[in-house]
Amino acid sequence: MPVTIYDVAREAGVSMATVSRVVNGNPNVKPLTRKKVLAAIERLGYRPNAVARGLASKKTTTVGVIIPDISSLFFSELARGIEDIATMYKYNIILCNSDQRMEKELQLINTLLEKQVDGLLFLGAEIKEDHLQALTSTSVPTVLAATRDADNVLPSVSIDHFQAAYDATEALVSRGHKRIAMIAGPANDPLAGLMRYEGYKKALKDAGIELDEELIATGNYFYESGLSTTKAFLALKNPPTAIFAANDEMAIGAIHAIQDSGLNVPGDIEVIGHDNIRLVEMVRPRLTSVVQPMYDIGAVAMRLLTKYMNNENVEEHVVLLPHRIEYRESTKPEQA
Amino acid sequence: MPVTIYDVAREAGVSMATVSRVVNGNPNVKPLTRKKVLAAIERLGYRPNAVARGLASKKTTTVGVIIPDISSLFFSELARGIEDIATMYKYNIILCNSDQRMEKELQLINTLLEKQVDGLLFLGAEIKEDHLQALTSTSVPTVLAATRDADNVLPSVSIDHFQAAYDATEALVSRGHKRIAMIAGPANDPLAGLMRYEGYKKALKDAGIELDEELIATGNYFYESGLSTTKAFLALKNPPTAIFAANDEMAIGAIHAIQDSGLNVPGDIEVIGHDNIRLVEMVRPRLTSVVQPMYDIGAVAMRLLTKYMNNENVEEHVVLLPHRIEYRESTKPEQA
DNA sequence: TTGGTTTTCATAAGCGTTTTCATAAATATA
DNA sequence: TATATTTATGAAAACGCTTATGAAAACCAA
């Protein structure tokens, strides 16, 4: 029923091949012919069928994006970066939520490959052997965003989580704190979970501060867990004087727990978060946070992927974006 | 290079048709044959080509989603609802950001139709004649989510914005307020902007309160605009005693502006927001807000779309989901 | 057995493009 | 003018699958 390239060809009095050339901007078409074809297209309201094109050309101008949870402030910002660059390079995005469940992740990889995506963007936490297996056994280029496989087999774009956490802790140390608590992420999250914890430990060690197990809690990145873990900290006989949370939501939970107990931030306890999501500006006091450039990670990852899809040369397949600390009112000015 | 259905057929000693039947779960295959085919598939690592299938079957099991901005807390929650239901019905999502720019919206509609999506979900603010034109001139079913066209031509899922705003204002009235300010949305946003404003006006009128232009500000839905408009309110010789903001982010901005000026919420000024995004729990005092069930809107819209795609019967093509007010600490308990 | 059903499968015709490949037309070169 | 190049076009073969159509096989009742 819909009008096809064949209809246009007949209407314009040329062959399908010529119509195809016109549609695809092939220069080898006489201007007059091009005009006739364009007129026919207009007259008939022809709309090229991208599926047929995909079959014939073996390109879909579509990339698959596997993301843990699009409703998270963190990932949705990343997704926006991905989509903007994708649009710039004329790609569309098939977006899938994985909830970090490995089984689902593997299944999604498969579905997306069935759909013949030209490339794959994988966001998640842990990259296991099965992931590597699935992602490397295809010729479809893949880039990891905001994560990294242990052996740097796959191209990836992220920040140096260890160093970022080190810097955050160090900032607290340099403010004279001895009892610095950490609300860490789950240990099965090697980067945002484990690496940040390692960075924290190293910073303490370098400062000659002994690790106190009581000051380490594990959260799940949600506000609620920041609230509850901090309540527990405050109940200690010797509570912390500073808290570093592995992400901002938990940090905000920490702030509220502190305030709810009648204490002051940063007066009594200083708090520093991680990621610098938009929320940090929407709390009082506003949250000091390690800037993780989510949008840029998405954008750079997508850009990197386009290079692989075009067989362009790539110098560095593991890119670490810079991080920094954005100081706000949840920490005191550094001592002179 | 990749293995095709033909390879599987040869390997299993059957015809392509039979392989196709097995892959698609057609029951008309002898168990033994099915087993042979499955074994061959396994052995060869066959992965069906969805593009070829799409061309042959004229179904892509893909739906297009046009969304203003995925990085917004509001829309990303909606998107999650859409995606979950889509997954449930075996559809994939092509996600596109429109930034509410009409030109881009129209272009995206076109692109998605080229990609032969089985259905279209459109989220945005204003539905103009051009949108209607583009969306009704195709046989691809479309559902509007979180918005509605003026004449209810297209299927849609949303809430009754007028009534919701009425209720919110009325709640403030019933608490004895006479000077109730509103931070409205842009007037070119017919539902969340205009309708909520109308609801506010009507509630005041019904309460016999005269409209004071000074107490009406227009924001852009961002935190910053809540902050600045409220600062202006506070500078009035006769400032408001209650504020209704057209969305939560602006309401939170309002709270902080009030607190920054040394006043108390809800003691001096009560604040009520709209949408009930996750943020409302992350402020002190926690924000009273009109619940707009974003996730459900997305989910219901997607479900509705599946019905159209399957030619199922649909009783009501314009669905209004219920709203309610969730009371928290930014408002005082109702007077006895 | 016979004839009628029902199952099970193979053949082959699309689906709407892109992309060789070959040829015709136009232009340049000698 | 004749020949060599270049440029424009068309014919037709993929691309990998679904889906009539219809034949063969298997089953059943009489």
Side-chain angles (χ1 to χ4, degrees):
Chain A
M1 196 63 52
V3 11
T4 75
I5 199 174
Y6 182 78
D7 301 320
V8 175
R10 184 154 28 75
E11 173 82 11
V14 300
S15 74
M16 298 166 38
T18 300
V19 177
S20 176
R21 289 194 192 91
V22 170
V23 170
N24 294 298
N26 184 316
N28 279 6
V29 178
K30 222 190 319 190
L32 177 63
T33 311
R34 179 186 311 279
K35 210 173 142 195
K36 278 194 305 184
V37 171
L38 256 15
I41 288 178
E42 176 72 19
R43 216 173 314 136
L44 266 39
Y46 169 65
R47 175 180 298 147
N49 181 325
V51 171
R53 171 182 298 174
L55 181 58
S57 69
K58 299 179 166 309
K59 295 202 171 317
T60 54
T61 60
T62 302
V63 322
V65 177
I66 296 175
I67 204 168
D69 177 12
I70 190 61
S71 70
S72 128
L73 215 36
F74 180 84
F75 289 113
S76 62
E77 184 79 22
L78 239 154
R80 184 65 213 241
I82 292 171
E83 222 264 332
D84 281 357
I85 304 303
T87 299
M88 187 174 301
Y89 286 88
K90 314 272 189 220
Y91 285 95
N92 287 110
I93 292 296
I94 298 185
L95 200 287
C96 309
N97 292 105
S98 70
D99 290 314
Q100 309 247 37
R101 290 183 30 236
M102 171 141 88
E103 181 199 11
K104 197 167 176 192
E105 288 170 339
L106 297 175
Q107 180 229 307
L108 286 173
I109 292 172
N110 201 50
T111 303
L112 290 170
L113 292 178
E114 282 189 4
K115 295 233 167 173
Q116 311 298 119
V117 293
D118 294 340
L120 219 40
L121 238 31
F122 188 95
L123 330 204
E126 209 174 355
I127 308 295
K128 294 205 183 156
E129 199 46 55
D130 286 351
H131 294 108
L132 245 34
Q133 162 64 27
L135 293 173
T136 54
S137 69
T138 164
S139 64
V140 173
T142 303
V143 172
L144 304 178
T147 187
R148 204 146 58 85
D149 63 291
D151 299 329
N152 288 331
V153 174
L154 290 171
S156 64
V157 178
S158 56
I159 65 167
D160 185 338
H161 293 270
F162 176 87
Q163 189 61 45
Y166 185 98
D167 293 350
T169 310
E170 151 65 21
L172 262 12
V173 167
S174 79
R175 276 165 177 71
H177 293 283
K178 300 291 181 210
R179 295 194 57 72
I180 303 174
M182 171 163 193
I183 307 176
N188 66 355
D189 176 351
L191 293 177
L194 205 54
M195 269 305 166
R196 289 185 193 165
Y197 176 51
E198 296 294 341
Y200 160 81
K201 283 203 298 193
K202 183 69 165 28
L204 289 189
K205 190 174 174 204
D206 287 358
I209 299 176
E210 198 171 349
L211 204 69
D212 182 346
E213 293 289 351
E214 280 190 339
L215 296 183
I216 295 161
T218 300
N220 61 3
Y221 298 132
F222 284 108
Y223 174 79
E224 181 49 52
S225 76
L227 213 50
S228 57
T229 54
T230 303
K231 283 216 175 83
F233 286 148
L234 297 176
L236 293 175
K237 55 246 135 265
N238 196 1
T241 60
I243 299 178
F244 166 46
N247 81 336
D248 290 326
E249 245 190 69
M250 296 195 295
I252 294 175
I255 290 181
H256 288 153
I258 294 166
Q259 293 174 334
D260 290 353
S261 77
L263 295 174
N264 177 269
V265 177
D268 299 308
I269 302 181
E270 295 189 60
V271 177
I272 182 164
H274 197 296
D275 292 350
N276 200 53
I277 59 177
R278 221 151 51 77
L279 241 60
V280 299
E281 296 277 355
M282 305 188 199
V283 227
R284 292 305 143 101
R286 297 180 315 145
L287 182 66
T288 292
S289 184
V290 178
V291 178
Q292 176 167 203
M294 284 91 65
Y295 182 94
D296 295 348
I297 291 177
V300 171
M302 183 65 214
R303 176 65 183 107
L304 185 55
L305 185 58
T306 65
K307 290 188 184 169
Y308 285 111
M309 294 190 293
N310 296 326
N311 293 307
E312 289 177 37
N313 197 46
V314 173
E315 59 303 330
E316 201 44 88
H317 79 286
V318 173
V319 0
L320 287 182
L321 259 27
H323 64 270
R324 65 171 206 285
I325 299 180
E326 185 77 34
Y327 290 96
R328 300 196 181 79
E329 297 79 37
S330 72
T331 50
K332 301 179 199 166
E334 194 162 5
Q335 307 180 317
Chain B
M1 196 65 52
V3 10
T4 74
I5 199 174
Y6 182 77
D7 301 321
V8 176
R10 184 152 30 74
E11 173 82 10
V14 301
S15 75
M16 298 167 37
T18 300
V19 177
S20 176
R21 288 192 198 93
V22 170
V23 170
N24 294 298
N26 184 315
N28 282 2
V29 179
K30 220 192 316 193
L32 178 64
T33 311
R34 179 185 310 279
K35 211 173 142 195
K36 280 195 304 186
V37 171
L38 254 16
I41 288 177
E42 176 73 18
R43 216 172 315 135
L44 267 40
Y46 170 65
R47 169 150 46 213
N49 181 324
V51 171
R53 171 183 300 177
L55 181 57
S57 69
K58 298 178 166 310
K59 295 202 172 316
T60 54
T61 60
T62 302
V63 321
V65 177
I66 296 175
I67 204 167
D69 177 11
I70 190 61
S71 70
S72 129
L73 214 35
F74 180 83
F75 288 114
S76 62
E77 184 78 24
L78 238 153
R80 184 67 214 241
I82 292 171
E83 222 264 331
D84 281 357
I85 304 303
T87 299
M88 186 173 303
Y89 286 87
K90 313 271 190 221
Y91 285 96
N92 286 111
I93 291 298
I94 298 185
L95 201 285
C96 309
N97 292 105
S98 70
D99 291 315
Q100 309 248 37
R101 289 183 31 236
M102 170 140 90
E103 182 199 9
K104 198 167 175 194
E105 289 170 338
L106 297 176
Q107 180 228 307
L108 286 174
I109 291 173
N110 201 51
T111 302
L112 290 171
L113 291 177
E114 282 189 4
K115 295 232 167 174
Q116 312 298 118
V117 293
D118 294 339
L120 219 41
L121 238 30
F122 187 94
L123 330 203
E126 209 173 355
I127 308 294
K128 295 204 181 154
E129 198 46 55
D130 286 351
H131 293 109
L132 245 34
Q133 162 64 27
L135 293 174
T136 54
S137 68
T138 165
S139 64
V140 173
T142 303
V143 172
L144 305 178
T147 187
R148 204 145 59 85
D149 62 292
D151 299 329
N152 288 332
V153 174
L154 291 171
S156 64
V157 178
S158 57
I159 64 167
D160 184 337
H161 293 270
F162 176 87
Q163 189 61 45
Y166 184 98
D167 293 350
T169 310
E170 151 65 21
L172 261 12
V173 167
S174 79
R175 277 165 177 70
H177 293 283
K178 300 293 181 208
R179 294 193 59 73
I180 303 173
M182 172 163 194
I183 308 176
N188 66 355
D189 176 351
L191 294 178
L194 206 53
M195 269 306 166
R196 290 185 192 164
Y197 176 51
E198 296 293 341
Y200 160 82
K201 283 203 298 192
K202 183 67 166 28
L204 290 190
K205 189 173 174 203
D206 288 358
I209 300 176
E210 198 170 348
L211 204 69
D212 182 347
E213 293 289 350
E214 280 190 339
L215 296 183
I216 295 161
T218 300
N220 61 2
Y221 299 133
F222 284 107
Y223 174 80
E224 182 47 54
S225 76
L227 212 51
S228 57
T229 54
T230 303
K231 284 216 175 82
F233 285 149
L234 296 175
L236 294 175
K237 56 248 133 259
N238 195 2
T241 60
I243 299 178
F244 167 46
N247 81 336
D248 290 326
E249 245 190 71
M250 295 195 295
I252 294 175
I255 289 181
H256 288 153
I258 295 167
Q259 293 174 334
D260 290 353
S261 78
L263 296 175
N264 176 269
V265 177
D268 299 308
I269 302 181
E270 295 189 60
V271 177
I272 183 164
H274 197 296
D275 292 350
N276 201 54
I277 59 177
R278 222 150 50 77
L279 241 61
V280 298
E281 297 276 355
M282 306 189 200
V283 225
R284 293 304 141 102
R286 297 180 315 144
L287 181 66
T288 292
S289 184
V290 178
V291 178
Q292 177 167 202
M294 283 91 66
Y295 182 93
D296 295 348
I297 291 176
V300 170
M302 183 64 213
R303 175 65 182 109
L304 185 56
L305 184 58
T306 65
K307 290 189 184 172
Y308 285 110
M309 292 190 294
N310 295 325
N311 293 307
E312 289 177 37
N313 197 46
V314 174
E315 58 303 329
E316 201 45 87
H317 79 285
V318 173
V319 0
L320 287 183
L321 259 28
H323 65 269
R324 66 171 205 286
I325 300 180
E326 185 77 35
Y327 290 97
R328 299 195 183 78
E329 297 79 35
S330 71
T331 50
K332 301 180 200 167
E334 194 160 7
Q335 307 181 315

